[in-house]
């Protein structure tokens, strides 16, 4: 809770003002039954009409002040709760930006989305109730009980019995529902995951006619969520019967005992009337507190989930004295071992000893699961090694300022991402200050100009979210152009030309040598034609180096490389290249 409340920031003033105004509102409300008793006893029963007018005017004034204080308290409560929610979302989002891939894997993307939406909304609603109702109701309860004690200490004991009864019942309900709501929010994660997976892969779902299967999967997740919610709400439904039991008990006791006291002369009619008002105020405050209990039960699980994200610290830490300059594009792997789950015994890479000179073009080839992507992920420090060291420019990547390192290592993936905005907006992710001429030149080098020029708006054509309005090959070429604008010391192409034909692929490779001649280029590919002209080619198998030499030498000495080459060339060539 402390972690969440620390995010109030400048809205702490609004929360305190709300609490103060609620206190004044309660004071006005508590005085009204007291004035009512004076009107009855000193005005009506005494036959003094001037006293009725005088106390009536005071009553109207108190009611007006209560209205003003209540309206102001509501405004400040809305401002404080909405401000807390906004600050929480900003804090979570900012912290997520520092996460490594392993941190994100720990929570999952749907889990993080649920925390930033459903969980924060629950906390916002609960906080508004806490600073208003959870302040107003206890004060009303205490002040009403004090007034009851002043009027009749004997009758006040009946209210104490009702309060103890409700505290026991509501406390028991809250203890059970808290555990259920913790499960409910975990099921929200599963539901969001089902939706995200279905929507992101909707083309595959339709292509394989799996709509019914996906509907059933979603229905199962929704049913589990519904069953848990019904279970929790079923328990919370006991709040109202318990509340009404206490209300009727108090009304019966006050009516029975109060009438006896009036007959006996120890209580006036005005005091009994005000006592009824205080009883109803007291019990209504308990009813409102029961609503707060429900909200707290729901939000307690949300608070814990939000705190987990806020307290999470990135696995990849900035060094104390970070290196802020990358000397060159040389890359060294010194006996590197790496696994995605430390201590699992399943290594993605094992004893990688590899040395690449600055400016070299290196091809990387191997079967699925051989460790190609894992290898290049370590260069820009998306993960840290388990053993050994990865060096760029002769310096361990763990000693660099992360932003400096990643600004000098450009990565183009097979599954590229474009963002909503114009083509120029997307290109300038590589260099925010790039001129339009520089963007055009980069697109020409990436062979992207040929399709951009056909768009009616050219480089000002709007790209839809995720690049939905361009093809896979067009998307790849735009991402290559975006990487070229960084002028990096290391360029990593992770199967990034898989969706273009071999002729275009060859032109792109030629452009690299012309536009960024001093850049170290690593090309991960499935096609031999994409890497055969590289200075050296790395063959990976099962996370280990199986060969590292030129194309010609590997054909003579490496069985895996020769097998891949023969299956592609002798088997009929690449998809767009004759055998």
């Amino acid at each position: 809770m402390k972690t969440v409340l620390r995010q109030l920031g400048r809205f702490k003033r609004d929360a305190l003002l709300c609490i103060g105004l609620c206190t004044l509102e309660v004071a006005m409300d508590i005085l009204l039954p007291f004035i009512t008793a004076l009107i009855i006893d000193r005005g009506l029963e005494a036959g003094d009409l001037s006293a009725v007018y005088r106390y009536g005017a005071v009553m109207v004034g108190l009611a007006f002040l209560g209205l003003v204080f209540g309206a102001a308290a509501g405004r400040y409560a809305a401002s404080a709760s909405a401000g807390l929610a906004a600050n929480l979302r900003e804090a979570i989002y900012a912290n997520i930006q520092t996460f490594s891939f392993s941190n994100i894997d720990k929570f999952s993307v749907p889990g993080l989305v649920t925390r930033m939406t459903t969980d924060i909304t629950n906390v916002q609603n609960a906080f508004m109730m806490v600073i208003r109702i959870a302040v107003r109701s206890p004060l009303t309860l205490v002040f009403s009980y004090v007034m009851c004690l002043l009027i009749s200490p004997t009758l006040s004991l009946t209210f104490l019995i009702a309060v103890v009864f409700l505290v026991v019942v509501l406390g028991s309900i809250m203890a059970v529902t808290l555990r259920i709501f913790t499960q409910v929010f975990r099921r929200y994660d599963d539901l969001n995951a089902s939706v995200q997976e279905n929507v992101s892969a909707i083309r595959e779902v339709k292509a394989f006619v799996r709509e019914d299967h996906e509907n059933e999967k979603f229905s199962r997740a929704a049913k589990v969520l519904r069953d848990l919610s019904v279970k929790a709400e079923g328990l919370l439904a006991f709040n109202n019967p318990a509340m009404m039991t206490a209300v009727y008990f108090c009304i019966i006791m006050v009516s029975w005992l109060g009438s006896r006291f009036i007959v006996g002369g120890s209580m006036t009619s005005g005091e009994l009337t005000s006592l009824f008002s205080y009883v109803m105020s007291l019990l209504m405050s308990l009813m409102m507190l029961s609503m707060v209990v429900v909200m707290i039960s729901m939000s307690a699980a949300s608070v814990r989930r939000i705190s987990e994200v806020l307290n999470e610290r990135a696995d990849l830490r900035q060094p104390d004295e970070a290196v802020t300059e990358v000397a060159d594009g040389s890359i060294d792997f010194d006996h590197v071992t790496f696994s995605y789950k430390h201590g699992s015994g399943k290594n993605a890479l094992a004893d990688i000893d590899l040395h690449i000179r600055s400016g070299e073009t290196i091809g990387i080839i191997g079967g699925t699961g051989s460790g190609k992507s894992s290898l290049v992920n370590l260069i820009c420090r998306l993960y840290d090694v388990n053993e050994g060291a990865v060096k760029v420019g002769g310096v361990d990547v763990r000693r660099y300022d992360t932003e400096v390192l990643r600004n000098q290592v450009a990565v183009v993936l097979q599954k590229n991402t474009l963002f909503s905005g114009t083509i120029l907006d997307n290109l300038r992710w590589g260099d925010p200050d790039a001129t339009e001429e520089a963007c055009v030149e980069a697109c020409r080098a990436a062979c992207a100009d040929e399709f951009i020029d056909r768009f009616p708006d050219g480089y000002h054509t709007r790209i839809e979210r995720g690049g939905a309005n361009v093809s896979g090959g067009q998307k790849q070429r735009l991402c290559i152009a975006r990487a070229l604008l960084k002028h990096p010391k290391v360029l990593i192409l992770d199967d990034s030309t898989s969706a273009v034909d071999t002729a275009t692929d060859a032109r792109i490779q030629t452009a690299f040598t012309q536009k960024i001649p001093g850049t170290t280029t690593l090309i991960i590919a499935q096609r031999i034609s994409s890497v055969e002209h590289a200075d050296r080619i790395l063959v990976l198998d099962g996370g280990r180096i199986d060969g590292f030499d030129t194309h010609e030498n590997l054909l003579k000495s490496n069985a895996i490389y020769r097998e891949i080459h023969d299956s592609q060339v002798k088997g009929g060539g690449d998809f767009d290249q004759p055998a």
Side-chain angles (χ1 to χ4, degrees):
M1 185 64 74
K2 290 180 181 178
T3 303
V4 171
L5 291 180
R6 274 200 294 266
Q7 301 304 321
L8 257 177
R10 63 187 179 89
F11 296 102
K12 186 182 295 183
R13 170 182 167 274
D14 290 352
L16 294 174
L17 282 172
C18 174
I19 292 171
L21 289 165
C22 280
T23 304
L24 293 173
E25 182 189 7
V26 169
M28 299 302 105
D29 290 346
I30 291 299
L31 289 173
L32 288 176
F34 179 74
I35 301 299
T36 302
L38 292 177
I39 290 174
I40 294 173
D41 292 339
R42 298 184 183 181
L44 297 178
E45 291 191 353
D48 186 353
L49 196 59
S50 63
V52 173
Y53 290 146
R54 188 168 59 253
Y55 289 123
V58 173
M59 196 172 185
V60 170
L62 291 175
F64 178 75
L65 287 174
L67 178 66
V68 172
F69 293 144
R75 178 187 176 279
Y76 284 115
S79 173
S81 59
L84 174 64
N87 287 349
L88 280 173
R89 288 191 175 96
E90 289 179 11
I92 289 177
Y93 191 80
N95 202 36
I96 289 172
Q97 301 307 305
T98 68
F99 284 180
S100 66
F101 285 3
S102 57
N103 292 115
I104 294 173
D105 293 340
K106 175 181 176 180
F107 292 103
S108 82
V109 174
L112 292 171
V113 171
T114 304
R115 283 166 167 83
M116 292 189 67
T117 52
T118 305
D119 287 326
I120 288 182
T121 300
N122 285 336
V123 170
Q124 178 181 348
N125 294 335
F127 184 71
M128 180 182 286
M129 293 187 74
V130 165
I131 60 175
R132 283 212 69 190
I133 299 174
V135 170
R136 194 180 190 284
S137 295
L139 288 175
T140 301
L141 191 151
V142 171
F143 290 161
S144 295
Y145 194 68
V146 169
M147 296 302 291
C148 289
L149 284 172
L150 293 175
I151 295 170
S152 175
T154 305
L155 281 177
S156 300
L157 293 175
T158 62
F159 311 145
L160 192 60
I161 294 170
V163 169
V164 171
F165 167 74
L166 284 176
V167 167
V168 171
V169 173
L170 297 181
S172 302
I173 292 172
M174 183 176 176
V176 177
T177 54
L178 181 60
R179 291 196 297 269
I180 298 175
F181 278 121
T182 301
Q183 298 179 51
V184 166
F185 290 114
R186 280 203 294 266
R187 295 303 178 180
Y188 268 121
D189 292 348
D190 296 340
L191 199 69
N192 284 342
S194 178
V195 173
Q196 183 185 45
E197 185 179 52
N198 181 274
V199 173
S200 61
I202 192 66
R203 291 175 178 167
E204 285 79 2
V205 171
K206 291 186 177 297
F208 288 93
V209 196
R210 297 286 284 177
E211 290 92 342
D212 291 342
H213 170 77
E214 289 295 311
N215 285 338
E216 289 175 9
K217 188 168 71 172
F218 180 83
S219 296
R220 284 196 299 271
K223 183 179 182 299
V224 171
L225 182 60
R226 184 203 67 188
D227 293 343
L228 284 171
S229 299
V230 168
K231 186 177 179 181
E233 297 296 339
L235 288 171
L236 292 174
F238 284 102
N239 280 359
N240 197 50
M243 190 70 233
M244 297 312 297
T245 299
V247 168
Y248 291 136
F249 170 77
C250 289
I251 289 175
I252 291 170
M253 293 300 293
V254 168
S255 300
W256 179 48
L257 294 175
S259 60
R260 292 169 64 89
F261 291 158
I262 290 175
V263 172
S266 60
M267 181 182 289
T268 67
S269 300
E271 288 175 336
L272 182 61
T273 302
S274 63
L275 195 63
F276 270 116
S277 297
Y278 286 126
V279 168
M280 293 310 298
S281 294
L282 188 150
L283 294 174
M284 285 302 296
S285 67
L286 279 175
M287 184 175 287
M288 297 304 290
L289 276 175
S290 71
M291 294 174 58
V292 173
V293 167
V294 175
M295 285 302 300
I296 290 175
S297 298
M298 293 178 62
S299 64
S302 296
V303 167
R304 185 165 57 251
R305 286 158 55 83
I306 291 169
S307 299
E308 287 173 355
V309 181
L310 289 175
N311 292 328
E312 181 75 7
R313 291 293 170 260
D315 292 341
L316 307 182
R317 304 289 181 87
Q318 290 278 26
D320 293 332
E321 297 180 3
V323 177
T324 56
E325 186 176 351
V326 181
D328 55 47
S330 62
I331 302 170
D332 298 288
F333 285 76
D334 292 337
H335 298 284
V336 167
T337 297
F338 167 71
S339 65
Y340 288 98
K341 289 187 177 180
H342 294 270
S344 64
K346 298 179 180 179
N347 292 329
L349 298 171
D351 195 29
I352 301 295
D353 194 53
L354 179 68
H355 305 281
I356 299 168
R357 296 182 292 273
S358 180
E360 272 194 298
T361 298
I362 303 297
I364 303 175
I365 203 162
T368 302
S370 60
K372 303 186 295 296
S373 296
S374 300
L375 183 85
V376 297
N377 283 340
L378 299 178
I379 296 172
C380 49
R381 207 190 171 202
L382 296 179
Y383 296 93
D384 273 343
V385 300
N386 296 18
E387 298 176 14
V390 179
K391 298 178 182 178
V392 175
V395 177
D396 193 319
V397 293
R398 290 170 291 195
R399 292 181 52 204
Y400 280 112
D401 179 277
T402 309
E403 288 189 10
V404 170
L405 174 66
R406 291 175 184 170
N407 272 331
Q408 293 300 325
V409 181
V411 183
V412 185
L413 305 172
Q414 178 185 10
K415 194 174 182 179
N416 298 285
T417 300
L418 294 176
F419 298 87
S420 53
T422 65
I423 289 177
L424 283 175
D425 291 336
N426 275 276
L427 293 172
R428 284 176 178 145
W429 274 65
D431 180 3
D433 301 319
T435 63
E436 187 168 342
E437 291 74 18
C439 292
V440 171
E441 187 65 26
C443 287
R444 191 174 292 120
C447 299
D449 59 322
E450 59 186 42
F451 68 85
I452 296 175
D453 292 337
R454 293 198 297 269
F455 292 147
D457 297 326
Y459 286 82
H460 297 280
T461 299
R462 183 166 182 80
I463 299 294
E464 300 298 332
R465 186 172 65 88
N469 58 332
V470 291
S471 70
Q474 292 171 341
K475 194 186 298 185
Q476 284 186 339
R477 282 177 277 178
L478 285 173
C479 290
I480 291 171
R482 182 172 66 188
L484 289 174
L485 281 170
K486 289 183 72 172
H487 300 290
K489 287 186 169 64
V490 177
L491 175 64
I492 298 171
L493 304 173
D494 190 350
D495 214 7
S496 57
T497 56
S498 59
V500 301
D501 58 81
T502 50
T504 303
D505 187 8
R507 292 203 303 274
I508 292 172
Q509 303 293 346
T510 302
F512 288 157
T513 60
Q514 296 173 351
K515 299 297 180 185
I516 45 174
T519 297
T520 304
T521 306
L522 278 69
I523 305 170
I524 297 176
Q526 302 294 336
R527 299 189 307 212
I528 291 291
S529 59
S530 298
V531 298
E532 62 182 349
H533 298 297
D535 296 321
R536 288 184 289 173
I537 300 169
L538 175 67
V539 181
L540 289 174
D541 182 42
R544 296 180 178 274
I545 296 176
D546 192 75
F548 187 41
D549 212 329
T550 62
H551 170 71
E552 292 78 11
N553 290 339
L554 286 174
L555 281 177
K556 298 174 184 175
S557 61
N558 190 272
I560 293 176
Y561 188 80
R562 188 165 55 248
E563 182 181 349
I564 296 172
H565 177 271
D566 292 346
S567 66
Q568 291 183 8
V569 177
K570 294 182 181 180
D574 287 336
F575 67 92
D576 53 2
Q577 195 176 52

